[in-house]
Amino acid sequence: MACMLSDVDGKPVLKLTGAVGIAEGAELKEALLRLIESTENPTVAMDGVTEVDVCTLQLLVAAQKSAAKAGKSLNLADISEPFQQAAELAGLESSKFKV
């Protein structure tokens, strides 16, 4: 997994690419916390995600809850087909991810 904080139209966006799984959990958690702290409208770009596991899905749901506690909305943008399929298999609706 590559996890890079980028500037898109003057706003920070966390871009994820490749396979995102439990092995990358600590790195992803830290990146999500930095993103939530750094902007009022935190966004994670998911178009480069090729594979995702249930631990990552749980981490993203938890990050959305943390953002909500801070009065923010963590948005997932450009959700890839592999991510969408994994979310559906896990029983998560795409609305959970505020696409």
Side-chain angles (χ1 to χ4, degrees), residues 34-76:
R34 283 193 309 272
L35 176 68
I36 292 167
E37 291 172 0
S38 70
T39 183
E40 290 301 313
N41 188 26
T43 301
V44 181
M46 307 293 292
D47 55 331
V49 174
T50 58
E51 187 178 331
V52 65
D53 67 6
V54 70
C55 295
T56 301
L57 296 172
Q58 290 171 330
L59 180 59
L60 290 167
V61 170
Q64 285 184 322
K65 289 180 181 180
S66 294
K69 285 181 184 176
K72 301 176 182 185
S73 177
L74 178 69
N75 299 295
L76 302 186

Side-chain angles (χ1 to χ4, degrees), residues 26-38:
E27 177 187 358
L28 179 56
K29 178 183 176 185
E30 290 303 315
L32 287 166
L33 290 172
R34 283 193 309 272
L35 176 68
I36 292 167
E37 291 172 0
S38 70

